[in-house]
mmCIF file of all heavy atoms in Angstrom:
data_model
loop_
_atom_site.group_PDB
_atom_site.id
_atom_site.type_symbol
_atom_site.label_atom_id
_atom_site.label_comp_id
_atom_site.label_asym_id
_atom_site.label_seq_id
_atom_site.Cartn_x
_atom_site.Cartn_y
_atom_site.Cartn_z
ATOM 1 N N ALA A 352 28.239 19.178 1.956
ATOM 2 C CA ALA A 352 29.404 19.889 1.456
ATOM 3 C C ALA A 352 29.183 21.399 1.445
ATOM 4 O O ALA A 352 30.121 22.183 1.648
ATOM 5 C CB ALA A 352 29.776 19.388 0.061
ATOM 6 N N VAL A 353 27.936 21.835 1.175
ATOM 7 C CA VAL A 353 27.633 23.266 1.157
ATOM 8 C C VAL A 353 27.970 23.909 2.503
ATOM 9 O O VAL A 353 28.387 25.070 2.557
ATOM 10 C CB VAL A 353 26.141 23.490 0.808
ATOM 11 C CG1 VAL A 353 25.719 24.924 1.112
ATOM 12 C CG2 VAL A 353 25.885 23.196 -0.657
ATOM 13 N N LEU A 354 27.820 23.141 3.567
ATOM 14 C CA LEU A 354 28.043 23.669 4.916
ATOM 15 C C LEU A 354 29.531 23.820 5.246
ATOM 16 O O LEU A 354 29.906 24.679 6.051
ATOM 17 C CB LEU A 354 27.407 22.753 5.951
ATOM 18 C CG LEU A 354 25.890 22.544 5.829
ATOM 19 C CD1 LEU A 354 25.416 21.529 6.836
ATOM 20 C CD2 LEU A 354 25.153 23.872 5.996
ATOM 21 N N PHE A 355 30.386 23.009 4.601
ATOM 22 C CA PHE A 355 31.787 22.969 5.002
ATOM 23 C C PHE A 355 32.782 23.336 3.919
ATOM 24 O O PHE A 355 33.851 23.865 4.232
ATOM 25 C CB PHE A 355 32.115 21.559 5.527
ATOM 26 C CG PHE A 355 31.283 21.126 6.706
ATOM 27 C CD1 PHE A 355 30.224 20.244 6.522
ATOM 28 C CD2 PHE A 355 31.509 21.621 7.971
ATOM 29 C CE1 PHE A 355 29.441 19.857 7.584
ATOM 30 C CE2 PHE A 355 30.732 21.238 9.050
ATOM 31 C CZ PHE A 355 29.689 20.358 8.854
ATOM 32 N N ARG A 356 32.456 23.061 2.682
ATOM 33 C CA ARG A 356 33.424 23.292 1.595
ATOM 34 C C ARG A 356 33.207 24.675 0.987
ATOM 35 O O ARG A 356 32.080 25.041 0.658
ATOM 36 C CB ARG A 356 33.292 22.207 0.523
ATOM 37 C CG ARG A 356 34.389 22.263 -0.551
ATOM 38 C CD ARG A 356 34.238 21.070 -1.486
ATOM 39 N NE ARG A 356 35.160 21.127 -2.600
ATOM 40 C CZ ARG A 356 36.397 20.681 -2.597
ATOM 41 N NH1 ARG A 356 36.884 20.143 -1.474
ATOM 42 N NH2 ARG A 356 37.171 20.745 -3.657
ATOM 43 N N LYS A 357 34.249 25.445 0.836
ATOM 44 C CA LYS A 357 34.182 26.781 0.261
ATOM 45 C C LYS A 357 35.033 26.834 -1.000
ATOM 46 O O LYS A 357 36.199 27.251 -0.965
ATOM 47 C CB LYS A 357 34.673 27.830 1.261
ATOM 48 C CG LYS A 357 33.942 27.793 2.618
ATOM 49 C CD LYS A 357 32.452 28.037 2.458
ATOM 50 C CE LYS A 357 31.728 27.982 3.804
ATOM 51 N NZ LYS A 357 30.258 28.089 3.647
ATOM 52 N N PRO A 358 34.500 26.384 -2.112
ATOM 53 C CA PRO A 358 35.282 26.339 -3.351
ATOM 54 C C PRO A 358 35.564 27.735 -3.885
ATOM 55 O O PRO A 358 34.838 28.691 -3.594
ATOM 56 C CB PRO A 358 34.381 25.579 -4.316
ATOM 57 C CG PRO A 358 33.005 25.838 -3.821
ATOM 58 C CD PRO A 358 33.109 25.937 -2.324
ATOM 59 N N LYS A 359 36.611 27.834 -4.672
ATOM 60 C CA LYS A 359 36.916 29.102 -5.350
ATOM 61 C C LYS A 359 36.345 29.063 -6.763
ATOM 62 O O LYS A 359 36.071 28.008 -7.311
ATOM 63 C CB LYS A 359 38.429 29.332 -5.390
ATOM 64 C CG LYS A 359 39.012 29.641 -4.018
ATOM 65 C CD LYS A 359 40.476 30.073 -4.132
ATOM 66 C CE LYS A 359 41.009 30.496 -2.765
ATOM 67 N NZ LYS A 359 42.403 30.980 -2.853
ATOM 68 N N TRP A 360 36.163 30.243 -7.324
ATOM 69 C CA TRP A 360 35.637 30.373 -8.683
ATOM 70 C C TRP A 360 36.484 31.357 -9.423
ATOM 71 O O TRP A 360 36.668 32.492 -8.989
ATOM 72 C CB TRP A 360 34.170 30.837 -8.620
ATOM 73 C CG TRP A 360 33.512 30.909 -9.952
ATOM 74 C CD1 TRP A 360 33.389 29.915 -10.879
ATOM 75 C CD2 TRP A 360 32.859 32.055 -10.522
ATOM 76 N NE1 TRP A 360 32.692 30.358 -11.980
ATOM 77 C CE2 TRP A 360 32.348 31.666 -11.786
ATOM 78 C CE3 TRP A 360 32.631 33.356 -10.079
ATOM 79 C CZ2 TRP A 360 31.659 32.513 -12.612
ATOM 80 C CZ3 TRP A 360 31.930 34.206 -10.907
ATOM 81 C CH2 TRP A 360 31.453 33.797 -12.143
ATOM 82 N N LYS A 361 37.064 30.897 -10.539
ATOM 83 C CA LYS A 361 37.989 31.738 -11.307
ATOM 84 C C LYS A 361 39.167 32.205 -10.454
ATOM 85 O O LYS A 361 39.657 33.324 -10.605
ATOM 86 C CB LYS A 361 37.280 32.947 -11.912
ATOM 87 C CG LYS A 361 36.085 32.619 -12.795
ATOM 88 C CD LYS A 361 36.487 31.922 -14.065
ATOM 89 C CE LYS A 361 35.279 31.700 -14.965
ATOM 90 N NZ LYS A 361 35.627 30.975 -16.210
ATOM 91 N N GLY A 362 39.569 31.341 -9.495
ATOM 92 C CA GLY A 362 40.702 31.677 -8.641
ATOM 93 C C GLY A 362 40.349 32.621 -7.506
ATOM 94 O O GLY A 362 41.250 33.099 -6.806
ATOM 95 N N ARG A 363 39.062 32.876 -7.298
ATOM 96 C CA ARG A 363 38.626 33.797 -6.248
ATOM 97 C C ARG A 363 37.595 33.102 -5.358
ATOM 98 O O ARG A 363 36.883 32.223 -5.800
ATOM 99 C CB ARG A 363 38.017 35.064 -6.854
ATOM 100 C CG ARG A 363 38.989 35.874 -7.686
ATOM 101 C CD ARG A 363 38.232 36.922 -8.480
ATOM 102 N NE ARG A 363 39.130 37.765 -9.274
ATOM 103 C CZ ARG A 363 38.776 38.414 -10.389
ATOM 104 N NH1 ARG A 363 37.530 38.301 -10.820
ATOM 105 N NH2 ARG A 363 39.640 39.165 -11.046
ATOM 106 N N ALA A 364 37.501 33.546 -4.139
ATOM 107 C CA ALA A 364 36.498 33.025 -3.206
ATOM 108 C C ALA A 364 35.100 33.375 -3.726
ATOM 109 O O ALA A 364 34.894 34.467 -4.288
ATOM 110 C CB ALA A 364 36.695 33.597 -1.805
#
Side-chain angles (χ1 to χ4, degrees):
V353 166
L354 300 175
F355 301 102
R356 187 175 175 86
K357 305 300 180 186
K359 290 189 174 182
W360 184 56
K361 304 292 184 182
R363 297 167 178 155

